[in-house]
């Protein structure tokens, strides 16, 4: 169960203005000497630059601030600026991010890649989505309560230097997820006209995502509030047009589903959902810190579950039925063109179907933009030098890397898709386990995080040493290697027919190892969080042990 607390009574510290105050940018601020300028004038941290590039970035950032766009980096948003009461945005941002063609593609992996039937896929989808949607919903509560980006929050469980590891992994895996997103959008757009191929489509989707990321969190929320509409309309039309073929399609595959294929598909599907856990905190840092964490959790969970289950099931049904519908099978090609499958389904609707294809492809940034935004924030958390770069610079570099890789990977979509999901799933399981174990077992309340003082101070007593998290990660890697099932490696346990249990065991092992090592550290009184009462169960009763640490 979730444990939420009342507001902290810790004395407030004075913060410089954060970037969400950019609309209130003050020209009256004292002018800095020419030899020292700020890269991010309205950021919470002052970053010096003595070059022409630095001055140019300063001018661009100031102009963006005048336009009311977000220019903040990874510095936590202070309490007095976390006041946005529009909690319904948590529903729409994640509903729109999942009610799209990419989520449909994730559901199609079961029949197209693992040979599952419609019923088998439906059972796996329903069970996996019900459970895994709770993970990103829980992590979303950290945004309003702490005002920190996801990878900054991880410092309070991984330690300052230990958090570099998940930050790097998040950059790599989210960049890989961007590749998949843009491939899907590009392939779909290419089906509209012979003059537009998948390469051109990929470039268009990538640049559209860059523009949205450039504008910042507030614009992204506005975009996600509306962009789900054409996607839902397209899905309804697809269901109406292809309903007859779906009704006549066999519900089971010719070969009975094996336990290994069920578990492996479940692991791939779970990775697509749990991977959002490293994104959800980033889009609530300006929302009301006094709002009930349960409400934030509920809005986010509802956004995920209402979009994921229907889209996953729709994708699996169409992919399974494609084997008995020649036009759909031709559209899917060799199994690597999901956009072709969608185009074949909508082909009877004529021009209206092509219009829907355009909308489906151009709404791919509903998943791309939040991912690119988090890539920027995670990259800036890796090192202080990276934090000096404005977000739009990091986003431009991400796009430049994204486009050529997506063009190359488009020829083997499902292989690319499954490999990327494996990278995400195998590390996201221990990451989630470590952060959740720290919160539920040791801190218990959000007021136990000394964010203002500790977020960027490696020696602050509220940040644990990295050893508990690193030990948990190392132990989980051992079990993941033994239990994983991929084309390039199948562990000895998976060879016995268990399927891919890497994520599940990685999560369980990480909780146990982290709790044990962190508990030893806490009992020794070293680096116990200073702002909370550590409660330890002994003999059936809880004893409050107040940490005494000198700042």
């Amino acid at each position: 169960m979730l444990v939420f607390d009342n507001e902290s009574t810790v004395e407030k510290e004075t913060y410089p203005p954060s970037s969400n105050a950019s609309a209130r940018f003050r020209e009256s601020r004292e002018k800095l000497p020419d030899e020292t300028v700020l890269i991010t004038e309205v950021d919470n941290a002052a970053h010096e630059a003595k070059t022409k590039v630095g001055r140019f970035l300063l001018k661009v950032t100031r102009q963006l601030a005048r336009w009311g766009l977000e220019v903040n980096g990874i510095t936590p948003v202070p309490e007095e600026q976390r006041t946005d009461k529009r909690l319904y945005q948590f529903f729409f941002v994640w509903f729109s991010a999942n009610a799209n063609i990419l989520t449909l593609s994730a559901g199609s992996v079961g029949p197209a890649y693992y040979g599952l039937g419609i019923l088998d896929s439906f059972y796996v989808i329903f069970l996996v989505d019900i459970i895994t949607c709770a993970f990103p919903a829980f992590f979303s509560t950290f945004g309003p309560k702490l005002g920190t980006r996801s990878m900054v929050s991880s410092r309070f469980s991984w330690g300052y230097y230990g958090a570099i590891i998940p930050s790097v992994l998040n950059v790599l895996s989210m960049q890989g997820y961007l590749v998949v997103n843009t491939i899907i959008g590009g392939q779909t757009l290419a089906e509209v006209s012979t003059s537009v191929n998948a390469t051109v489509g990929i470039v268009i989707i990538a640049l559209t995502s860059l523009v949205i990321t450039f504008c910042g969190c507030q614009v992204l929320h506005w975009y996600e509030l509306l962009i789900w509409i054409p996607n839902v309309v397209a899905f309804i039309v697809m269901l109406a047009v292809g309903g007859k073929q779906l009704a006549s399609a066999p519900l089971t595959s010719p070969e009975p589903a094996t336990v290994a294929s069920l578990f492996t598909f479940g692991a791939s599907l779970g990775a697509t959902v749990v991977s959002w856990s490293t994104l959800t905190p980033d889009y609530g840092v300006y929302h009301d810190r006094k709002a009930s964490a349960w409400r934030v959790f509920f809005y986010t969970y509802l956004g995920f579950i209402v979009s994921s289950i229907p889209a996953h099931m729709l994708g699996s049904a169409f992919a399974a039925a494609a084997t008995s519908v020649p036009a759909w099978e031709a559209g899917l090609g060799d199994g690597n063109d999901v956009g072709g499958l969608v185009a074949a389904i909508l082909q009877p609707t004529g021009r209206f179907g092509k219009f829907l294809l355009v909308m489906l492809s151009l709404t791919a940034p509903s998943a791309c933009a939040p991912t690119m935004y988090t890539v920027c924030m995670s990259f800036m958390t890796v090192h202080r030098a990276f934090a000096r770069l404005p977000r739009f610079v990091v986003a431009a570099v991400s796009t430049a890397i994204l486009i050529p890789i997506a063009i190359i990977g488009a020829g083997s979509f499902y292989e690319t898709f499954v490999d990327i999901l494996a990278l995400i799933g195998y590390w996201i399981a221990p990451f989630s386990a470590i952060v959740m174990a720290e919160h539920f077992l040791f801190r218990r309340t959000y007021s136990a995080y000394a964010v203002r003082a500790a977020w960027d101070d490696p020696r602050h007593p509220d940040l644990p040493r990295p050893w508990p998290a690193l030990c948990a990660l190392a132990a989980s890697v051992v079990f993941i290697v033994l239990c994983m099932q991929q084309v390039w490696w199948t562990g000895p346990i998976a060879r016995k027919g268990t399927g891919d249990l890497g994520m599940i065991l990685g999560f369980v092992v990480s909780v146990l190892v982290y709790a044990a090592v962190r508990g030893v550290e806490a009992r020794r009184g070293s680096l116990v969080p200073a702002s909370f009462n550590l409660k330890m169960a002994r003999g059936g009763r809880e004893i409050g042990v107040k940490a005494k640490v000198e700042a």
Side-chain angles (χ1 to χ4, degrees):
M1 99 182 196
L2 300 179
V3 181
F4 301 131
D5 64 292
N6 296 325
E7 297 303 319
S8 172
T9 57
V10 179
E11 183 179 354
K12 293 182 179 179
E13 298 180 16
T14 302
Y15 268 70
S18 105
S19 59
N20 73 327
S22 56
R24 303 183 298 275
F25 182 81
R26 301 177 183 273
E27 283 293 330
S28 59
R29 183 175 293 187
E30 294 183 6
K31 187 177 181 180
L32 295 170
D34 290 338
E35 64 272 15
T36 303
V37 299
L38 302 180
I39 287 182
T40 311
E41 164 69 9
V42 289
D43 199 350
N44 289 337
H47 302 308
E48 295 183 358
K50 299 180 180 180
T51 64
K52 291 182 179 179
V53 174
R55 292 185 176 89
F56 171 75
L57 294 177
L58 169 63
K59 291 180 181 179
V60 174
T61 303
R62 282 177 170 169
Q63 186 58 53
L64 294 176
R66 291 190 185 98
W67 291 342
L69 301 179
E70 182 195 22
V71 292
N72 192 15
I74 60 172
T75 307
V77 178
E79 294 181 358
E80 59 270 19
Q81 295 181 18
R82 302 201 301 270
T83 56
D84 193 336
K85 297 184 181 300
R86 295 172 294 179
L87 299 185
Y88 62 84
Q89 289 182 336
F90 287 101
F91 171 83
F92 283 106
V93 70
W94 303 118
F95 179 81
S96 296
N98 286 276
N100 56 39
I101 193 172
L102 178 68
T103 308
L104 184 146
S105 303
S108 70
V109 170
Y113 197 77
Y114 297 110
L116 299 180
I118 295 177
L119 281 181
D120 294 328
S121 299
F122 278 15
Y123 292 145
V124 174
I125 288 169
F126 184 78
L127 180 61
V128 170
D129 283 354
I130 287 290
I131 296 173
T132 56
C133 286
F135 285 84
F138 163 73
F139 277 87
S140 69
T141 63
F142 282 85
K145 289 299 182 182
L146 303 184
T148 58
R149 309 294 181 174
S150 176
M151 292 298 110
V152 174
S153 299
S154 70
R155 292 175 177 176
F156 290 87
S157 52
W158 286 74
Y160 185 89
Y161 294 109
I164 294 175
I165 295 176
S167 296
V168 171
L169 290 174
N170 204 40
V171 171
L172 296 176
S173 56
M174 291 301 103
Q175 190 71 16
Y177 211 57
L178 274 172
V179 170
V180 173
N181 290 3
T182 51
I183 289 174
I184 289 291
Q187 288 179 340
T188 306
L189 191 59
E191 297 296 330
V192 177
S193 172
T194 55
S195 60
V196 178
N197 57 27
T199 298
V200 175
I202 287 171
V203 173
I204 293 174
I205 300 304
L207 294 180
T208 304
S209 303
L210 173 62
V211 171
I212 299 171
T213 306
F214 183 91
C215 294
C217 191
Q218 291 89 343
V219 172
L220 192 147
H221 272 295
W222 175 84
Y223 171 80
E224 301 287 1
L225 184 64
L226 302 172
I227 204 62
W228 61 270
I229 298 174
N231 288 336
V232 171
V233 171
F235 287 169
I236 293 174
V237 173
M238 288 172 61
L239 193 59
V241 173
K244 183 180 295 186
Q245 289 86 342
L246 290 179
S248 59
L251 295 178
T252 58
S253 60
E255 297 292 332
T258 64
V259 173
S261 61
L262 293 173
F263 271 107
T264 306
F265 173 52
S268 298
L269 196 68
T272 66
V273 179
V274 178
S275 63
W276 291 105
S277 298
T278 59
L279 282 78
T280 52
D282 293 355
Y283 308 98
V285 294
Y286 300 115
H287 284 78
D288 187 9
R289 67 182 180 86
K290 296 182 180 180
S292 167
W294 279 108
R295 288 184 62 199
V296 175
F297 175 89
F298 174 76
Y299 276 119
T300 307
Y301 184 79
L302 198 63
F304 274 99
I305 204 73
V306 171
S307 57
S308 294
I309 290 182
H312 283 153
M313 288 185 172
L314 200 62
S316 65
F318 281 123
T323 57
S324 58
V325 182
W328 295 3
E329 188 174 22
L332 188 59
D334 57 356
N336 289 310
D337 193 350
V338 178
L341 173 62
V342 175
I345 296 170
L346 292 174
Q347 193 274 334
T349 61
R351 292 183 179 180
F352 181 62
K354 289 190 174 183
F355 170 75
L356 290 178
L357 276 177
V358 173
M359 297 307 297
L360 277 173
S361 61
L362 295 181
T363 56
S366 62
C368 293
T371 306
M372 186 179 291
Y373 185 91
T374 293
V375 167
C376 298
M377 295 302 171
S378 299
F379 182 78
M380 295 163 73
T381 312
V382 172
H383 193 276
R384 284 175 176 169
F386 299 154
R388 299 185 179 189
L389 294 172
R391 187 185 64 256
F392 57 83
V393 173
V394 183
V397 173
S398 171
T399 305
I401 296 172
L402 159 68
I403 292 175
I405 296 177
I407 292 173
I408 295 172
S412 54
F413 169 72
Y414 276 113
E415 288 81 357
T416 304
F417 188 65
V418 172
D419 288 344
I420 289 174
L421 289 184
L423 171 65
I424 296 174
Y426 290 137
W427 81 265
I428 204 71
F431 170 81
S432 301
I434 290 167
V435 174
M436 295 175 74
E438 174 70 22
H439 181 78
F440 289 118
L441 299 180
F442 296 95
R443 297 189 185 264
R444 306 267 180 117
T445 64
Y446 294 105
S447 59
Y449 296 81
V451 173
R452 292 188 295 273
W455 79 274
D456 199 31
D457 184 358
R459 298 183 179 181
H460 195 279
D462 200 59
L463 296 183
R465 291 172 179 168
W467 311 121
L470 295 181
C471 288
L473 178 63
S476 68
V477 168
V478 173
F479 280 86
I480 288 172
V481 171
L482 293 175
C483 300
M484 66 189 299
Q485 180 176 333
Q486 296 297 324
V487 174
W488 39 270
W489 171 257
T490 299
I493 295 178
R495 289 195 202 107
K496 298 184 181 297
T498 63
D500 196 333
L501 299 177
M503 280 188 64
I504 297 175
L505 288 183
F507 182 89
V508 173
V509 170
S510 296
V511 170
L512 297 176
V513 174
Y514 183 82
V517 180
R518 185 77 168 91
V520 171
E521 181 187 62
R523 287 188 177 88
R524 289 181 177 178
S526 60
L527 295 179
V528 181
S531 57
F532 75 108
N533 291 335
L534 179 64
K535 296 182 178 180
M536 303 171 63
R538 291 180 179 173
R541 58 197 181 100
E542 290 188 337
I543 303 175
V545 181
K546 188 166 185 177
K548 297 180 179 179
V549 182
E550 294 182 1

